[in-house]
Amino acid sequence: MPVSPPPLDNLWLPYTQMATAPAPLTAVATHGVRIRLADGRELIDGIASWWTACHGYNPPHIRAAVSRQLETMPHVMFAGLVHEPALRLATRLAALLPGDLERVFFTESGSVAVEVALKMARQYWINRGQPQRRRVVHFRHSYHGDTFATMALCDPEDGMHALFAGSLNAEPMAELPEDEARRAAFADLLDDCCHEIAGVIVEPLVQGAGGMKMHTAATLAFIARACAERGILLIADEIMTGFGRTGRMFACEEAGVLPDIVCLSKALTGGTLALAATVARRHVFEVFLGEDARRALMHGPTYMANPLACTAANASLDLFESEPRLAQVAAIETQLHEQLAPCRALAGVAEVRVKGAIGAVELAGAVDLDALRQRFVELGVWVRPFGKVVYLMPPFIITPDELTTLTTAVVRVLEERAARRL
Ligand SMILES: *Cc1c(COP(=O)(O)O)cnc(C)c1O
C-alpha cells in the first residue's frame, strides 16, 4: 500500500498559482532517468530536474564520494578557512575553462552567482576610478535569475518578472545581434552608453528560461568582439549551458570566446547538491588587489563552498572524464533532430529547435500548460512545458529507446493539441 504523504497546507510552491493549479505529484525515489512517485508510477525524466541531473539520478560515484565527505566534514565556514574539496574543484574548473578564467568564487545558487558577477563587474570599474560604469546590458529573451538585481536582466516583456518593473534597476536591453541591422544597433548602443556600461551579460548559444531561443556561434563571437573592442566586461551566464549541454563542455568554446566572468551552477554537482560558481579572469581579479581594504570583494554567503557540494562537483567532473558524456550529447542531438522534426508539420507549432541535448518546440496560439503537463504524466514522462515551449533536456545517460519514449510523447501530445483535443 502506498503511504499517503502529509497534506500540502504548509508549502508555498514555485511559479504556481496555488488556487487553481493541479496538486503536485509526490516523488519518493529517483534512479537512472526515472522518478518514482508515491503511487508507484515511474516517469522518464525529460528535463533532468531543471537541467541539473546530467548523469541521471543517484550516480553511485557521486553518492559514494558525498557519503565519505559526510563522515569527516559536512560543512565548515569559508572565511579564514579553506578545504581540499573547494581547492581541488577550483583548480579543476580553472583548468577546464578557457584562457585565464582562473579565480573561482563559490555560492549556492545560480541567481546569486549572477549577483556576484554583477558586483564584480561594478566594483571592477569602481576600483578603476570609473564608478559611473554601472549599467549591465542584457538581451531580449534573457533569463538570469529571480533575485532583484537579476530580475532586472530578464526580458521585461516576455519574462516572468514584469510585475516588478517599477522596482528594478533600468538596465539596457539589446536584441541579439543576429543580422547586419541588429549588429549595427548593438554597436551603436555600446558606443552611445559606453561611459556608463560595466558589462554585457549573455546566455551563450541558448537562452533557457526565457524561451529556449538559440543563436549561432558567430553571433556570440560578434558580441564578444564588440565588448573587447570597447573594454566592456563580458559576463557569460553558462548556468544552463555549462557542462556539456550544448555539445561542448562550455558553450563559449564553440565560438572561441573568452568571457571576463563566467557563471556556473545547474549541472555543476550533477544535480545532487546546491552549488554555484562565479569565475573571473586574472585581469578582473587583479583590480581587486591593493593596500586599501575597500578594494576587496565584500561578499560571502554563509554556506559558500559547502564541502559536500564541492565533493559532489568533483565527483561529477570525474564522471565527465571517465564517461563519454559529450559523445552522448552528440547522439542525443542527432536523435532529437530526427524525432522532433515531425512536429514542424503540426498545426499550432511555430518552430522546432535543437542544440546539443536540448530540443525545443515553440508553440503558436494559446497554450493550456496544465493540460499539456498532465497529459505527459499520463504518458509516463516528466516533461514540463513553460510559456510557449515544450522542450526536452534529458540526462546525458538516457538510452535511445528511453529518448524515443520522450520524443514520441511530445509528438503525440502536440498531435492531440493540433486536433484540438488538448
Ligand atoms: C537557472 C538559471 C539561473 C538561476 O539559477 P537559480 O539556481 O535558479 O538561482 C540563472 N541563469 C540561467 C541561465 C539559468 O538557467
Side-chain angles (χ1 to χ4, degrees), residues 51 109-111 114 143-145 203 237 239-240 265-266:
W51 328 336
S109 80
S111 299
V114 176
Y143 174 82
H144 296 290
E203 294 161 88
D237 180 349
I239 289 170
M240 183 198 75
S265 185
K266 295 218 161 75

Side-chain angles (χ1 to χ4, degrees), residues 140-202:
R140 186 178 301 283
H141 302 303
S142 55
Y143 174 82
H144 296 290
D146 288 352
T147 57
F148 272 86
T150 59
M151 280 196 287
L153 302 172
C154 297
D155 188 313
E157 291 147 38
D158 287 13
M160 49 185 129
H161 304 316
L163 282 180
F164 296 99
S167 40
L168 301 180
N169 301 329
E171 302 291 7
M173 186 182 75
E175 303 293 333
L176 274 165
E178 294 184 286
D179 57 35
E180 279 310 312
R182 287 181 174 184
R183 286 181 178 202
F186 182 61
D188 285 347
L189 170 73
L190 296 190
D191 287 335
D192 290 349
C193 318
C194 206
H195 56 286
E196 51 179 40
I197 295 177
V200 170
I201 186 165
V202 64

